[in-house]
């Protein structure tokens, strides 16, 4: 019997219509995936996150009302794509809110203001350590004698002879043999025209025959190579002279997050930031967490699909847009440094990550070795060096080796705790003597994933909240454009990680929820649905940007409690291994997509962070990106990140005896062992 | 006024129909070029070669009968595509004979037998010099301890540690630091599966968890690097064990000729030839000679079109077919060496060759520097080293530095002359003390271009000929399949270079043509056309493979005389510069596409080569390809080719005083100065 096929038409808000055939009974989400239409589905189609809401316009699907779709909404045609089986030809409206974050590229000149403050601090520190403007790239200006009839020297050899012979006396290049000079094909292709269009008097109007005894002026971009056959490589060249502005030598630092890819473009010679940008990781349509991605990678063609999703479909357009903002071409990017967790690094490189999730959890590689951008088709200068922060273990990646560098904890004699709240929770503990790391499956809750109204810390996110214990009325703070200080005019869209911590902390403080996260009071802000669940409405539809309530349900709180429990139990387990108490920790560095608005006191109140004085906590933003920036701008920083990664012990929690008990105990507000958080309120 | 467009339909014999719009008045040839349909047009559309014969099926073109199309043929609808202006919608039949040589890929296991004899001689010589099996590639077998829980080492680092620590004691790799080992991304991508699918007892059925204390057996392909940071690079790896045959490590030598691309695939570890092949250079649709190509490269998009024509459209399919013959995948090719003239090298690299043809004739480069195959998208192993023979001057390229190496003249104390009869004539003169080279625009006549019945020295080519002086009847020798000794059953298709020399020599010896190449006798084999030209029919239509006469016209003879005159005058000029006479030459090495059947005595008779005893002449086949083969299989040979190129003087004939007079004097049979060829017949 021939299989019945149904014709689907997706009418995409703000995009083009997409048609695809679906098998009878296939979910709308799976059909969309096949049609390369990325719907937001951080729960990977389990029906729990409620983000893939679409609206049926014609035809029918098999689906039922659920906690994410009220009976009224159901009557209006709203459905979860993941929970709707196709049973006829169907036309479906895909609202912008249902589309995966991947399509949202954000680029600005300087980036988010609060991240920037953190970042400028790091820049100062790097300067103090002498770790800046040392990318190995330099510009030199040359005057090259033009050919005469019978001299018979080719352009390339003429240039090499000049560089080798006449390099400024003080330089280590003096007397360099032409054979020791590498020549990028990209530069070689530009050479004949660059020489003949140079601002010199040699050639007039692109004529082939130069004036007698004339010279051409060239600006040459060299990269000094460490310990290779070629002492230097000519990466690029530019006609010099009055009419030619000096070229900008740009570099790119990238943090490849499971959810979001962030990047900074810097002028490698001046250190100036040229552009900042972020884009959703295009892989998100294959699931929010690394495990879903690894499973997808094992399907036929999956590895290549995932590789393309993060390169061609995400990094390449992001780099193009950032270059435009900076007024450059992508080929003017001559060095790239990237940091990512171990799974993302494998997928970016197109290396099978399958054994990361199977016992005994073995990565294919920790260090990538020497790479150039052409290997990855990034569209930047093909011979740009591509430096990847090395991984430490299966679930502690280059984001942590780079992040630990950015935190500078490896330089301190005192003991520091480093917590990266990404889609996975990754932690490090140590000082200048030792370093230990571990990872816990916190899930994407800190970045707003798996939370029905969750979102990244960006415009429209509720990032802080106060609740009046009597009236239960909240005062919320919403992030304005470019991370500007809360803007009264900015309406809420959702809640980001720091907002979730605040909101749950306040609900708990006011006795609205109990230690298990269940609602124990009633009021106009408390809603109960027919499935027995309750929610707290932080912003009513009339006050939100999208006309829908921003509310936190018991299921959301449950997800968040598991996430914070994973973090706290990981901290406890690491301390236990070292036989240390919480009080041994001198500083805590909190990094990740949770947002700069994080209230450390609230995080302690809900039992996410250990009870320590508030001044010991430091928010350090996207430390993975900042570490990549350091590696980008200073070669020595890259070596230090390698040293950090090689010297760090990796603690595998999933098989560590005692971790599971710690986790279960931490899945309460604040903890089953209340004594850990007793003796008075922590400072807020 | 809107331009009138005509719709063309090309019905291609043995191919798919192609439609294209043409401007009113555009030639069929130009329209075909735009439609990416390569018609044979060595004269670049000047109406002189007669090779782009097509047949009009419907519609009309503006065209007239000419020497290549008889009135009968004209009545049947035959036209020269280059001389037919489109004036209506047209349907045209493109016979297989009109299609450019580019589409004809020929692959065999061992190559042409006569070339092979020459080649085996060279192989012997290389062996005697110790120049073989030294590509820097080697296979090692390793047993790698499988991971245990808690050991926490990634696959890559596990392998590197093994190679660095446990390399056989006698090897220079002992104690190598893992940091000194490069790792090809291609190999890294294979690593996780290769380890887990190895024939060892470690894993059963691809399970992730190995047996306790088990090992995996791997065969690793290493390349030893000279003087780089990475002492060795891991290029590839293969599961080892009983079920896995040892991998074949192949390399490819290429001669990129203006007309034909030839290649040899060799097993780099055993030295065995795995396949031989050739294909027409896809650039030929832009003209037969390098000047037409340079002009095309200056048009918008032209450089990239030409680069693709020789890589994606020619080398990639050739490599694919040769790999199939050899039973390999293209990615099993780990090293590539290529030789080509200066223009071809520029176009292959995608570097602007424009200044090669403009005074003062400056190439963009002599030496390409380090390249890898991924830079050129050849489809072989992406990290395969790509070695290009360096050029010597604008018109003496890597084909000559490689060819001079293959001739071994640089080793001899006696004086040798090297003549490469390609689309350009290139010559070298010298010994172990000095080397001089020059180029002359001989045109493609030696490879059958610009000759109405000309063809390459391949199946169906008349390669030798005797004429009875009385009856004027010829006895012809036709090349059989794979260059086998003349096969009586093989019918003629055309005449190759050696056949042209023989035929013209015989016509002259028998007094059928005079010193200017004009017919001075009459007979059934002599045909005169209405334009006043005459031809000699070497094979009548009934005896040919394609049912058309194989005939040589005065125009053909004229072209050939100019070609041979260019060669002889170049030899004279070089000798004059050195103040030497012909008698100073001890050996003459003749290379190129002229074919192994060349009769040196005839070549002397027509005044192409100087009058020297026949035993001083040696046919050395495709010396450019053979030199590339030496560079492929022995790194030291590559260094020697570089030394040859750097040490060789380049004589620019086009501006050399006296050359023009020599040329004019040489455009007779045998020469205006008969004394040069006097005193008895040369040995045949």
């Amino acid at each position: 019997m021939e299989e019945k096929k149904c014709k689907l038409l997706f009418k995409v808000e703000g995009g083009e219509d997409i048609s695809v055939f679906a098998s009878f009974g296939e979910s709308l989400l799976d059909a969309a995936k096949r049609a390369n239409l990325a719907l937001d589905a951080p729960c990977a189609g389990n029906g729990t996150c409620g983000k893939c809401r679409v609206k049926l316009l014609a035809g029918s699907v098999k689906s039922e009302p659920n906690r994410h779709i009220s009976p009224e909404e159901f009557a209006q045609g709203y459905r979860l794509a993941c929970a709707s089986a196709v049973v006829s030809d169907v036309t479906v409206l895909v609202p912008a809110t249902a589309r995966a974050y991947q399509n949202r590229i954000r680029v600005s000149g300087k980036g988010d203001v609060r991240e920037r403050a953190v970042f400028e601090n790091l820049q100062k520190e790097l300067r103090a350590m002498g770790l800046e403007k040392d990318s190995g790239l330099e510009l030199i200006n040359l005057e090259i004698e033009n050919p005469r009839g019978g001299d018979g020297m080719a352009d390339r050899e003429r240039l090499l002879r000049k560089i080798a012979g006449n390099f400024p006396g003080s330089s280590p290049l003096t007397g360099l043999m032409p054979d020791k000079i590498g020549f990028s094909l990209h530069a070689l292709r530009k050479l004949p025209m660059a020489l003949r269009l140079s601002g010199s008097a040699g050639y007039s109007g692109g004529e082939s025959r130069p004036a007698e005894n004339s010279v051409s002026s060239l600006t040459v971009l060299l990269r000094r190579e460490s310990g290779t056959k070629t002492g230097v490589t000519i990466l690029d060249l530019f006609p010099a002279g009055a009419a030619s502005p000096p070229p900008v030598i740009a570099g790119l630092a990238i943090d490849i997050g499971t959810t979001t890819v962030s990047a900074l473009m810097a002028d490698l010679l001046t250190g100036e930031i040229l552009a900042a940008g972020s884009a959703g990781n295009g892989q998100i349509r294959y699931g929010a967490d690394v495990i879903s991605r690894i499973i997808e990678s094992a399907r036929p063609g999956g590895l290549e699909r995932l590789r393309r999703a993060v390169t061609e479909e995400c990094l390449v357009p992001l780099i193009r847009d950032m270059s435009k903002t900076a007024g450059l071409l992508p080929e003017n990017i001559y060095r790239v440094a990237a940091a990512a967790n171990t799974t993302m690094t494998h997928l970016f490189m197109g290396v099978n990550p399958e054994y990361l999730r199977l016992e005994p959890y073995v990565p294919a590689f920790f260090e990538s070795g020497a790479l150039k951008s052409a290997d990855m088709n990034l569209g930047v200068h093909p011979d740009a060096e591509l430096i990847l922060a090395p991984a430490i273990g299966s679930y502690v990646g280059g984001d942590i080796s780079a992040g630990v560098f950015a935190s500078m904890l490896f330089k301190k004699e005192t003991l520091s705790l480093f917590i990266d709240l990404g889609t996975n929770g990754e932690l490090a503990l140590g000082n200048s003597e030792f370093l230990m790391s571990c990872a816990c499956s916190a899930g994407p809750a800190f970045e707003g994933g798996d939370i029905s109204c969750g979102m990244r810390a960006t415009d429209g996110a509720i990032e802080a909240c106060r609740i009046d214990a009597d009236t239960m009325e909240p005062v919320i703070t919403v992030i304005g454009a470019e991370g500007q200080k809360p803007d009264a005019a900015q309406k809420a869209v959702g809640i980001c990680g720091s907002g979730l911590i605040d909101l749950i902390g306040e609900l708990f403080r006011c006795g609205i929820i109990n230690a298990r996260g269940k609602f124990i009071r009633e009021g106009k802000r408390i809603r109960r649905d027919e499935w027995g669940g309750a929610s707290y409405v932080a912003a009513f539809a009339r006050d939100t940007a999208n006309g829908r309530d921003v509310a936190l349900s018991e299921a959301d709180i449950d997800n968040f409690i598991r996430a914070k429990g994973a973090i706290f139990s990981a901290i406890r387990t690491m301390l236990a291994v070292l036989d240390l108490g919480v009080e041994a920790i001198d500083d805590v560095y909190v990094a990740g997509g949770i947002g700069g608005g994080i209230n450390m006191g609230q995080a302690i109140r809900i039992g996410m962070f250990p009870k320590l004085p508030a001044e010991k906590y430091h928010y350090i933003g996207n430390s993975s990106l900042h570490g990549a920036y350091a590696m980008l701008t200073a070669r020595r920083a890259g070596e230090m990140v390698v040293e950090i990664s090689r010297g760090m012990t990796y603690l595998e929690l999933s098989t560590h005896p005692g971790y599971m008990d710690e986790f279960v105990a931490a899945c309460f507000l604040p903890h089953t062992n209340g004594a850990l958080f007793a003796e008075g309120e922590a400072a807020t």
Side-chain angles (χ1 to χ4, degrees), chain A residues 250-272:
Chain A
L252 192 74
I254 312 174
D255 162 48
I256 305 174
T258 310
T259 307
T260 305
V261 173
S262 308
L264 284 173
M265 189 182 292
D267 183 321
L268 293 174
L269 302 183
T270 66
E272 190 196 347

Side-chain angles (χ1 to χ4, degrees), chain A residues 273-476:
Chain A
I273 295 296
L274 302 170
S278 67
N281 184 331
Q283 297 172 345
I284 212 157
R285 62 181 178 273
Y286 305 109
D289 54 42
V290 296
I291 298 300
S292 324
R293 311 279 172 88
I294 296 175
I295 291 170
E296 175 70 19
S297 78
R299 298 198 173 113
L303 183 57
E304 180 61 11
R305 271 198 301 283
L306 288 162
R307 193 193 65 73
R308 281 174 185 272
V310 70
T311 54
E312 274 92 328
E313 297 169 26
C314 168
L315 276 167
V316 171
L318 176 63
I319 292 170
R320 193 186 52 219
D321 288 4
M322 289 175 69
S323 301
K324 212 166 148 191
T325 298
L328 299 173
L329 293 174
E331 66 185 43
N332 298 126
I333 298 172
Y334 298 96
R335 188 175 161 88
V336 179
N341 67 48
T342 312
T343 304
M344 288 303 114
T345 308
H346 277 59
L347 295 176
F348 173 68
M349 301 256 294
V351 176
N352 181 2
E354 205 180 340
Y355 301 103
L356 286 175
R357 77 173 187 98
L358 300 173
E359 261 197 283
Y361 314 115
V362 179
F365 62 98
F366 290 147
E367 299 175 19
S368 67
L371 295 171
K372 59 182 205 175
S373 101
D375 295 329
M376 300 291 142
N377 279 324
L378 294 182
V380 308
H381 189 289
D383 290 307
E385 258 188 296
L386 173 58
I387 301 124
L388 286 183
I392 294 142
S394 300
Y395 294 100
V396 174
D399 49 350
I400 300 309
S401 51
V404 164
F405 175 85
S407 78
M408 298 287 167
L409 75 82
F410 69 101
K411 289 201 315 169
K412 298 203 169 79
E413 287 176 26
T414 54
L415 188 70
S416 300
L417 173 65
F418 168 88
I419 307 173
D420 187 355
L421 300 170
T423 308
N424 252 29
E426 293 160 310
L427 297 93
L429 185 66
N431 55 29
S432 56
E433 295 291 312
F434 84 95
L435 289 166
M436 171 184 271
S437 63
C438 71
C440 57
S441 324
F446 302 127
E447 289 174 318
D450 257 3
I451 305 290
S452 55
C453 286
M455 66 181 288
R456 303 266 312 166
T458 176
D459 332 356
I462 296 177
E463 64 155 9
C465 167
R466 280 269 138 189
I467 297 179
D468 184 296
D470 296 331
T471 63
M472 297 198 284
E473 281 302 302
V475 179
I476 59 172

Side-chain angles (χ1 to χ4, degrees), chain A residues 73-222:
Chain A
E73 290 174 328
F74 193 85
Q76 289 162 29
Y78 285 101
R79 301 288 184 275
L80 291 189
C82 67
S84 300
V86 175
V87 292
S88 78
D89 291 357
V90 167
T91 304
V92 161
L93 175 74
V94 179
T97 50
R99 297 191 64 191
Y101 186 65
Q102 72 159 127
N103 298 310
R104 303 175 208 153
I105 294 183
R106 298 167 59 91
V107 173
S108 68
K110 298 277 183 176
D112 184 295
V113 281
R114 269 187 295 197
E115 281 286 312
R116 206 152 79 219
V118 171
F119 175 67
E120 282 165 3
N121 242 339
L122 173 72
Q123 279 186 309
K124 250 181 252 167
E125 198 137 3
L126 292 174
R127 259 195 301 278
M129 293 165 73
L131 296 178
E132 53 152 10
K133 295 186 216 166
D134 170 38
S135 61
L137 299 168
E138 62 191 86
L139 288 172
I140 59 169
N141 289 303
L142 292 173
E143 301 222 311
I144 296 163
E145 290 76 27
N146 287 326
R148 269 159 285 275
D151 120 346
M153 182 65 71
D155 293 340
R156 174 182 179 276
E157 280 69 20
R158 188 181 305 275
L159 173 58
L160 290 183
R161 199 175 48 173
K162 185 73 185 182
I163 293 183
N166 293 3
F167 210 76
S170 61
S171 150
L173 285 176
T174 308
L176 194 67
M177 291 295 295
D179 280 3
K180 300 278 178 195
I181 302 175
F183 212 123
S184 162
L185 183 56
H186 180 87
L188 184 58
R189 285 175 174 162
K190 289 171 75 175
L191 179 60
M193 285 307 263
L195 276 176
R196 286 164 186 82
L197 290 178
S198 101
S200 77
Y203 299 91
S204 53
E207 265 202 10
S208 71
R209 202 186 174 82
E212 277 296 313
N213 299 320
S214 63
V215 296
S216 288
S217 304
L218 266 195
T219 300
V220 177
L221 175 62
L222 294 177

Side-chain angles (χ1 to χ4, degrees), chain A residues 36 130 213 332 480 571 588:
Chain A
N36 236 1
N213 299 320
N332 298 126
I571 298 170
V588 183

Side-chain angles (χ1 to χ4, degrees), chain A residues 9-12 28 54-58 61 90-94:
Chain A
L9 176 64
F10 292 105
K11 298 194 81 75
V12 181
L28 284 175
V54 296
K55 189 175 177 182
L56 205 58
L57 299 179
V61 295
V90 167
T91 304
V92 161
L93 175 74
V94 179

